[in-house]
Amino acid sequence: QAAAAEVQMFSVPSYACQRRTTLENHNAVLTDALSLLAENAELSDQEGRGVAFRRAAAVLKALPGPVTGLTQLRGLPCLGEHSLRVIKDILENGASDEVESTRQSEHFKALKVLTGIFGVGPKTAERWIREGIHSLIQLRESGHTLNRAQQAGLLHYDDLNRPVTRAEADAITEVVVRAVVAVAPGAEVTLTGGFRRGKLTGHDVDFLITHPEEGREEGLMSKVVSWLRSQGFLLYEKTTRNSYLESTEGPARPASNMDRFERCLTIFKLDEDQRPGSEETKLWRAVRVDLVVSPISQFAFALLGWTGSKLFERELRRWAGHEKAMSLSSHALYDNNQSRYHRATSEEEIFAHLGLEFVPPSERNA
Ligand code: ATP
Ligand code: MN
Ligand code: MN
């Protein structure tokens, strides 16, 4: 009895958007294991399983200390039988056989290598694997016709699979700001994604661009991209135009995180400082950069939607739908009970409309 009382019990609310999740993770061994199973599920077209593992990992990320025994987890949300089994194995044996055999499996390794190519999703990777293609060399030798994105992805494979540092993100921010100032003085650039949450590295750099005068953001993307191209900063670019107004689906699609802003997926050519003593002759590296343009009237929603994490976003939309009968997207918040939109000019207002305590970006690392 006395011993049990000394065990620290944990308690966390159900939705990740009700929690404060910093980058300080006291349970990295457990969350890495669960994240690997989530990734495997996502790459294998098992989205439901993927979300379940992501939610379980997110609960552990939010705990104020390391888990040492299963009893501490009693009553915690989102920990299903499967996740608990994995946690138990690691606590008792130091590792989970399921996690380790997944990590070592040829199928998983091939999926990772192939989806590591920019422009290659799980479906394409799966198709190639069924043809016996497990490596980049085999893909090159297969004679498959690759689209433009995939060609760029293969060409810059190593660079694009090397984490982007905060310093590199800052250097790219300077370039994007220069581009925007040159073509549209008064327009504003905001760093979003993982770097806005305080992450020290990322797989890409995300920017949201807007103009304080509604309507002045129109045509901005093509001007910014033209400037970047003319200055030699782009190795690849593909712009998708805004499809928000012409859509017939209605403005908020809570089931999907895809928004319809004008966006440009790019690969930047970033000059690199030569490392002292390095034999390297290449003086630049490739970096994935996402540019999104939003009208100022939707900016708060776009900012919230593009700051992440992906699970935090998913949980916000689930909270809105299930607890508040509202539909949240990166464009708007619709109240189904009141049959009207809620306006917002800041993230704080959106949290307030949703009946949630404000969670700053650095605490959205679910
Ligand atoms: P990383 O460091 O790996 O880049 P990240 O959190 O920045 O981590 P991203 O994939 O760059 O991850 O996504 C950033 C945010 O943008 C996420 O919140 C995600 O939900 C959002 N996002 C990404 N792609 C889309 C999309 N097609 N439509 C709408 N939102 C998206
Ligand atoms: Mn990102
Ligand atoms: Mn991105």
Side-chain angles (χ1 to χ4, degrees):
Q1 289 284 340
E6 283 165 33
V7 174
Q8 184 186 7
M9 293 298 290
F10 295 122
S11 156
V12 301
S14 307
Y15 290 82
C17 53
Q18 297 173 289
R19 310 192 286 256
R20 295 172 175 273
T21 314
T22 63
L23 288 167
E24 190 182 6
N25 178 358
H26 301 282
N27 291 285
V29 173
L30 296 175
T31 60
D32 286 352
L34 292 168
S35 299
L36 185 131
L37 295 182
E39 194 180 7
N40 183 240
E42 289 158 0
L43 291 174
S44 310
D45 204 19
Q46 300 180 304
E47 203 198 346
R49 270 169 76 98
V51 174
F53 286 128
R54 294 271 176 221
R55 283 206 190 114
V59 164
L60 300 184
K61 283 182 197 171
L63 299 181
V67 176
T68 51
L70 275 186
T71 49
Q72 292 174 291
L73 303 178
R74 214 171 284 151
L76 287 185
C78 307
L79 297 179
E81 201 188 318
H82 197 156
S83 295
L84 282 172
R85 194 165 67 234
V86 172
I87 295 168
K88 180 168 183 282
D89 284 346
I90 296 174
L91 290 179
E92 288 177 358
N93 314 318
S96 144
D97 287 343
E98 184 187 3
V99 173
E100 295 319 312
S101 66
T102 303
R103 201 195 304 277
Q104 303 302 327
S105 91
E106 291 308 318
H107 191 82
F108 179 68
K109 285 196 278 187
L111 277 171
K112 287 275 283 180
V113 168
L114 297 175
T115 57
I117 305 169
F118 173 63
V120 177
K123 296 237 160 59
T124 304
E126 192 61 56
R127 188 155 34 80
W128 288 342
I129 292 169
R130 278 200 299 270
E131 296 171 19
I133 299 168
H134 286 226
S135 68
L136 301 186
I137 295 172
Q138 288 170 330
L139 177 61
R140 287 198 184 94
E141 286 173 351
S142 73
H144 273 294
T145 318
L146 302 180
N147 65 31
R148 209 166 54 83
Q150 295 162 345
Q151 286 174 28
L154 202 50
L155 191 59
H156 304 296
Y157 188 87
D158 290 341
D159 275 356
L160 298 185
N161 282 283
R162 178 150 62 93
V164 182
T165 65
R166 177 75 213 199
E168 288 166 337
D170 290 340
I172 288 170
T173 305
E174 269 182 49
V175 173
V176 173
V177 167
R178 257 207 282 152
V180 169
V181 166
V183 302
E188 283 159 16
V189 177
T190 308
L191 182 65
T192 62
F195 286 111
R196 181 162 184 253
R197 301 197 307 276
K199 278 179 64 182
L200 297 176
T201 61
H203 99 283
D204 69 356
V205 193
D206 306 284
F207 294 99
L208 186 57
I209 304 170
T210 191
H211 196 289
E213 271 177 65
E214 184 85 1
R216 292 278 296 277
E217 79 289 347
E218 275 172 40
L220 222 156
M221 184 70 88
S222 73
K223 285 185 207 161
V224 170
V225 170
S226 295
W227 189 93
L228 290 168
R229 195 192 301 121
S230 71
Q231 301 284 314
F233 284 115
L234 296 183
L235 296 163
Y236 168 90
E237 93 223 30
K238 184 177 166 57
T239 302
T240 313
R241 71 197 169 95
N242 183 329
S243 57
Y244 182 58
L245 289 173
E246 66 205 44
S247 166
T248 52
E249 285 170 86
R253 293 185 303 166
S256 162
N257 76 324
M258 292 296 285
D259 66 49
R260 279 157 274 148
F261 290 117
E262 184 165 33
R263 88 184 53 167
C264 189
L265 306 189
T266 74
I267 299 175
F268 262 55
K269 182 179 180 179
L270 179 68
D271 285 334
E272 257 188 337
D273 296 331
Q274 189 93 353
R275 281 180 289 275
S278 159
E279 299 289 310
E280 193 112 38
T281 51
K282 192 162 152 277
L283 294 170
W284 55 271
R285 68 161 293 186
V287 180
R288 275 272 299 111
V289 175
D290 285 341
L291 305 173
V292 179
V293 170
S294 149
I296 190 76
S297 59
Q298 297 172 21
F299 179 77
F301 298 99
L303 182 60
L304 180 59
W306 278 84
T307 296
S309 69
K310 287 202 178 81
L311 186 78
F312 191 90
E313 303 294 337
R314 180 183 267 276
E315 293 278 278
L316 270 178
R317 294 192 300 271
R318 188 165 70 97
W319 168 271
H322 290 197
E323 305 295 328
K324 299 287 160 181
M326 295 184 192
S327 310
L328 175 68
S329 75
S330 294
H331 298 276
L333 177 63
Y334 186 76
D335 189 318
N336 292 298
N337 289 330
Q338 299 183 26
S339 300
R340 72 179 184 96
Y341 289 98
H342 289 287
R343 308 227 155 270
T345 55
S346 68
E347 290 183 323
E348 282 84 347
E349 284 176 65
I350 303 173
F351 279 88
H353 286 314
L354 289 168
L356 287 168
E357 235 176 83
F358 179 67
V359 179
S362 62
E363 294 177 344
R364 296 180 202 158
N365 286 292

